[in-house]
Amino acid sequence: MKQVDVIVLGAGAAGLMAAIEAARRGRRVVVVDHAAKAGEKIRISGGGRCNFTNLGIAADRFLSKNPRFALSALKRYTQWDFIARLDAAGIGWHEKTLGQLFCDGSAKEVVALLLADLAAAGGELWLSCAVGDVRRAGAGFIIETARGPMGAASVIVATGGKSIPKMGATGFGYQLAERFGLPLVETRPALVPLTFAEQELSWIAPLAGVALPARVGFGRSSFDEAVLFTHRGLSGPAILQISSYWREGQAISLDLCPGVDLGAVLRAAKQDNGRALLRSHLARLVPEKLARHIEADLGMEAPMGTLSNVALERVATRLRTWSLMPVGSEGYRTAEVTLGGVDTDALDARTMEAKGVPGLYFVGEVVDVTGWLGGYNFQWAWSSGWAAGQVA
């Protein structure tokens, strides 16, 4: 039976990072993944350019039963540390919006860098290799794999969540946690488009393809980013963000003209040019297709001069305080991440080691730490993987 110091389950961002760091300490490391290629989520992220981190890393941008749990790892391996890693490798990057950093070239460069670092440190990578049972054996573990059993002093679980199952996502990491007695926080799709019942969908679907800047809110949380109308409901960055906070049976709010006193704007437009149609003025603020849709829906296809100020206020209210009741989301099929996971109460925040199970570590998305859209989840992967790699 092959004997190593550390076996890492999962060859994604967190797993590769943990393996590299452990191998650089002279540990004998093997990374095992049932997928045929390593780092596939890295490769497809950011439209193929990898939104690898964010300049605005802070505790309030992560969702967890204990949001402060992530701070230890995030402060010890920061966004600047990963940026320095890319700079040293000559990988160009740029800031897009809201602190989001992307590669100038292909996300494949990040995958290639991680694989090169793993090989240089002496780590092994076993792809297309399914993992079966993981059990205690003395002070260490025995891991059953498609290539036969392997013994290890430490196991780092970096198997990710349930999001995007077509790329091989499974709930294996959660099952493994439960097998060792670790509690879980309920999992659900996050950073995912929202769907609606026929009543709302009949209004939304004709606008499929229309996108505009908006403010989307739920409870005390709101996001000012783009909203995209689709045949199934609503998507776009603002919707993906609020999906992590939204819960079934409750409404979200949409402001399609944030920061604009729309009632005053329309009254002034009526005064300036009463012969113009409502859609002509609305189209200066929102896409023309949406302007026409609003005009027809409210039955205001008439010159502005014939519309009362009360009617114009109805238009403003419709665009600025639109309450919508989602019936669900598109689920794990399109969710970028999984909310919930291994309860942080069961883990050491500094090392990511399971309390009461020496040598067992959980990193990345499998843990109950979920970041906002925009590079936060990758930074959690780098930081948590790094933390475990220092001690495993």
Side-chain angles (χ1 to χ4, degrees):
M1 179 174 67
K2 184 178 179 69
Q3 188 72 37
V4 298
D5 296 313
V6 182
I7 182 168
V8 179
L9 305 182
L16 290 174
M17 193 70 171
I20 291 164
E21 292 301 314
R24 284 177 172 176
R25 293 172 41 240
R27 305 285 278 168
R28 294 168 297 165
V29 179
V30 175
V31 182
V32 181
D33 200 307
H34 69 279
K37 295 181 179 179
E40 280 294 89
K41 276 196 174 181
I42 302 173
R43 182 185 62 79
I44 68 167
S45 69
R49 291 185 182 272
C50 187
N51 180 194
F52 58 86
T53 193
N54 195 291
L55 298 177
I57 301 297
D60 63 357
R61 299 184 178 188
F62 291 85
L63 289 80
S64 172
K65 196 175 81 171
N66 176 12
R68 298 192 64 81
F69 173 87
L71 280 180
S72 175
L74 291 169
K75 286 183 175 180
R76 288 161 56 230
Y77 189 86
T78 70
Q79 63 269 46
W80 307 109
D81 292 316
F82 195 77
I83 290 168
R85 201 167 193 142
L86 296 193
D87 288 344
I91 297 175
W93 54 271
H94 60 278
E95 181 182 354
K96 195 171 181 181
T97 56
L98 303 173
Q100 300 172 24
L101 302 189
F102 291 78
C103 296
D104 289 342
S106 170
K108 293 178 181 178
E109 294 180 84
V110 177
V111 178
L113 170 63
L114 295 170
L115 293 180
D117 283 351
L118 178 64
E124 292 184 55
L125 178 61
W126 292 7
L127 295 173
S128 301
C129 182
V131 174
D133 188 36
V134 178
R135 62 184 183 274
R136 266 292 191 196
F141 302 86
I142 292 178
I143 301 91
E144 299 291 343
T145 80
R147 296 192 188 183
M150 181 163 34
S154 299
V155 175
I156 300 177
V157 183
T159 50
K162 301 176 183 177
S163 56
I164 319 182
K166 70 178 181 181
M167 295 189 67
T170 71
F172 180 80
Y174 308 129
Q175 297 163 16
L176 189 57
E178 289 185 309
R179 197 176 308 164
F180 282 93
L182 276 65
L184 300 178
V185 174
E186 179 186 6
T187 58
R188 56 185 289 127
L191 300 182
V192 63
L194 297 176
T195 57
F196 296 84
E198 183 55 38
Q199 181 179 350
E200 287 85 5
L201 199 57
S202 63
W203 201 95
I204 294 170
L207 294 169
V210 172
L212 74 163
R215 177 173 298 146
V216 180
F218 178 79
R220 297 180 180 179
S221 302
S222 66
F223 295 91
D224 286 30
E225 293 189 65
V227 166
L228 172 67
F229 291 84
T230 76
H231 291 293
R232 293 181 293 274
L234 295 174
S235 188
I239 295 295
L240 299 188
Q241 295 278 38
I242 213 66
S243 72
S244 297
Y245 295 85
W246 171 76
R247 291 296 179 268
E248 288 79 358
Q250 301 184 57
I252 61 171
S253 63
L254 269 73
D255 180 350
L256 301 181
C257 291
V260 177
D261 185 344
L262 190 55
V265 168
L266 293 178
R267 289 191 297 273
K270 171 185 173 180
Q271 193 73 26
D272 292 342
N273 186 2
R275 290 177 295 177
L277 295 177
L278 173 62
R279 63 174 176 259
S280 299
H281 293 289
L282 286 181
R284 297 173 185 174
L285 299 168
V286 300
E288 182 180 0
K289 191 173 182 179
L290 175 59
R292 289 177 175 272
H293 199 58
I294 288 282
E295 181 188 67
D297 183 59
L298 295 177
M300 295 183 184
E301 296 164 302
M304 288 282 284
T306 67
L307 301 176
S308 69
N309 287 346
V310 172
L312 295 180
E313 198 57 43
R314 282 175 56 209
V315 177
T317 299
R318 182 60 177 271
L319 281 166
R320 297 218 55 205
T321 57
W322 188 16
S323 180
L324 276 170
M325 181 77 75
V327 294
S329 75
E330 292 190 6
Y332 291 115
R333 180 181 64 84
T334 59
E336 297 205 11
V337 292
T338 302
L339 196 67
V342 178
D343 194 328
T344 58
D345 287 348
L347 303 177
D348 184 311
R350 186 170 180 83
T351 64
M352 308 305 297
E353 187 174 27
K355 297 174 181 177
V357 191
L360 182 64
Y361 303 78
F362 290 82
V363 298
E365 189 182 347
V366 72
V367 179
D368 174 35
V369 174
T370 304
W372 283 5
L373 184 73
Y376 295 93
N377 289 294
F378 270 129
Q379 187 57 47
W380 169 241
W382 312 134
S383 298
S384 60
W386 179 92
Q390 303 309 301
V391 293

